[in-house]
Every structure is written in C-alpha cells, then in structure tokens.
Amino acid sequence: VTLHLNPISSVHIHQKPLVFLLNSPLPLVWKLKTERLAPGIRRVFFVSLGSVVQFEKGNFSLSAEMEEKLFPEKNEHLLQWAQKEYGAVTSFTELKISRNIYIKVGE
C-alpha cells in the first residue's frame, strides 16, 4: 500500500512532528511518498506486527522512525488506545481494500 503524505493547501511546507498508526490484519509493506514535508522533523510510524514501512530515499528517512506494535483488534479499541496514548486523534480512516491512501497533514 502506498501512503501519500502532503500538506494541506494553506501550508507550504509541513514542519511539525507526526505519528501514524498503520494497522492491518495481514502484514503489509507501506511505501511512503511525501511532498513538502520539512526534513529533520520527527515522524513516527507504528505498524502492525510483520508490517514494514519503506521510506523514500533522502532526508525524510533520516528523521522518520518505524516500530512494530501489537494493536487492539477492534477499531474502537484502537481509537481509544491512541487517544489515551497521544491525547488526541486528528484523523482516523478505515479502508477495506486500497493500493493508495492520500493524507493531507496540517493544522
């Protein structure tokens, strides 16, 4: 699955840390495609067991982290866990089948 990340239209370059929880019932390879995300900013990708994130070559991969995590099975439990762990969830998306996911990051 390719995860396309770019800032919302009102933000020229996104310069804040990001945390993503990428959960799948089957192990996946998450391929990252990014545009206009500032280098050197911490971005963390938690993936379900057996999954991996393939970062693009370049500065983005130097400040990005990937960690495998055992997530709660049901989405409502995952959402509750994320809110407890991080204090807020700004976006939650559930897809049954997809090859490309487009996410706009920003305020």
Side-chain angles (χ1 to χ4, degrees):
V1 175
T2 302
L3 185 60
H4 301 265
L5 303 177
N6 58 333
I8 57 175
S9 60
S10 62
V11 175
H12 182 63
I13 304 254
H14 189 269
Q15 301 187 41
K16 294 187 177 180
L18 296 169
V19 175
F20 288 90
L21 308 178
L22 304 173
N23 190 24
S24 172
L26 298 173
L28 285 179
V29 174
W30 296 90
K31 296 179 183 180
L32 236 56
K33 300 279 185 192
T34 63
E35 290 180 33
R36 300 185 351 250
L37 300 185
I41 306 294
R42 186 169 186 243
R43 296 178 181 100
V44 181
F45 296 84
F46 291 106
V47 297
S48 47
L49 299 179
S51 294
V52 295
V53 176
Q54 287 182 347
F55 299 108
E56 293 178 296
K57 290 181 173 37
N59 291 339
F60 185 83
S61 63
L62 299 176
S63 58
E65 304 168 31
M66 185 208 78
E67 183 180 324
E68 284 186 76
K69 199 98 165 149
L70 179 60
F71 291 121
E73 282 188 36
K74 297 188 178 200
N75 283 336
E76 56 270 14
H77 296 149
L78 177 59
L79 186 56
Q80 290 169 354
W81 175 84
Q83 288 171 326
K84 181 180 173 191
E85 191 76 16
Y86 296 100
V89 173
T90 57
S91 177
F92 184 91
T93 304
E94 177 185 8
L95 302 166
K96 296 293 182 192
I97 298 175
S98 183
R99 291 181 187 251
N100 290 282
I101 300 172
Y102 296 85
I103 298 180
K104 299 271 189 186
V105 296
E107 302 300 320

